Amino acid sequence: MAFYAEMCRRRWYCVKGMQLIRWYKRKLYDDWWNSLTDEEKEIVEHNRKVREERRQRELEESIMR
């Protein structure tokens, strides 16, 4: 968290063409994902799918109005 805050504060997060904030966020996500059990991963994927279907349905409903 301190790394992310420091990168935002200094605004030099794009070092040698690499976005360090994006890299750090991906690293944290990958560490979290790898710490989950298979059952937890299935739950997360199910929730993601439900959320995406709801978002799609709401988009279609807003277009229909």
Side-chain angles (χ1 to χ4, degrees):
M1 201 56 138
F3 175 79
Y4 180 77
E6 185 65 15
M7 288 283 125
C8 289
R9 186 182 72 80
R10 290 191 181 194
R11 303 281 188 222
W12 56 269
Y13 51 85
C14 189
V15 177
K16 293 186 180 181
M18 182 177 175
Q19 291 243 352
L20 294 179
I21 291 177
R22 186 177 297 156
W23 170 82
Y24 188 66
K25 280 183 168 181
R26 175 49 85 182
K27 179 193 176 312
L28 289 178
Y29 177 82
D30 289 342
D31 292 345
W32 169 77
W33 183 259
N34 292 331
S35 71
L36 296 178
T37 64
D38 291 336
E39 294 84 19
E40 291 172 330
K41 287 179 182 180
E42 289 176 13
I43 292 170
V44 169
E45 286 299 321
H46 174 72
N47 290 340
R48 185 176 293 152
K49 182 186 268 186
V50 168
R51 202 172 29 234
E52 183 60 34
E53 289 172 356
R54 183 182 313 132
R55 193 175 297 144
Q56 183 67 28
R57 189 174 60 246
E58 289 173 356
L59 174 65
E60 291 171 357
E61 289 175 359
S62 67
I63 290 174
M64 297 292 258
R65 291 184 201 160

